[in-house]
Amino acid sequence: VAVKRLLSAFFDLAMGEIDLLIKADRHPSVVRYYAKEEDGDFVYLALELCETSLQALVDPSSERSSSSLGHKWLPQRGQEPPPK
């Protein structure tokens, strides 16, 4: 589980994100939403932990490359897989 913390001032943004995550639930390219908690200063979202980072996907030569984490490339519509 990963926890995303947002300032309470962004409560509306957090609720919009939750709504979108619920609508996209079970999509293989979208993290799952589990729960929301609030305190006086922050809104906390419990989300599925990603196996890799955006940095590793954009720059495969980075220290935590997607290949070292077993990430599989997910094609987008009309896109060819990268050369091996």
Side-chain angles (χ1 to χ4, degrees):
V1 175
V3 176
K4 181 174 184 176
R5 182 175 78 167
L6 296 103
L7 290 169
S8 291
F10 296 103
F11 180 83
D12 291 339
L13 178 69
M15 295 309 294
E17 182 170 342
I18 290 169
D19 185 51
L20 291 172
L21 288 168
I22 290 170
K23 289 177 182 175
D25 193 38
R26 302 284 185 193
H27 189 283
S29 298
V30 178
V31 297
R32 298 216 48 209
Y33 162 76
Y34 296 121
K36 172 184 69 73
E37 291 291 330
E38 303 171 46
D39 66 18
D41 299 319
F42 298 100
V43 176
Y44 302 91
L45 305 182
L47 306 169
E48 177 182 16
L49 181 63
C50 296
E51 293 181 11
T52 190
S53 69
L54 181 58
Q55 173 68 32
L57 292 173
V58 172
D59 181 8
S61 66
S62 68
E63 185 175 314
R64 288 181 52 111
S65 74
S66 57
S67 60
S68 69
L69 297 170
H71 175 79
K72 298 198 184 318
W73 182 79
L74 297 173
Q76 300 299 312
R77 259 187 230 144
Q79 193 176 31
E80 293 296 320
K84 293 190 178 205

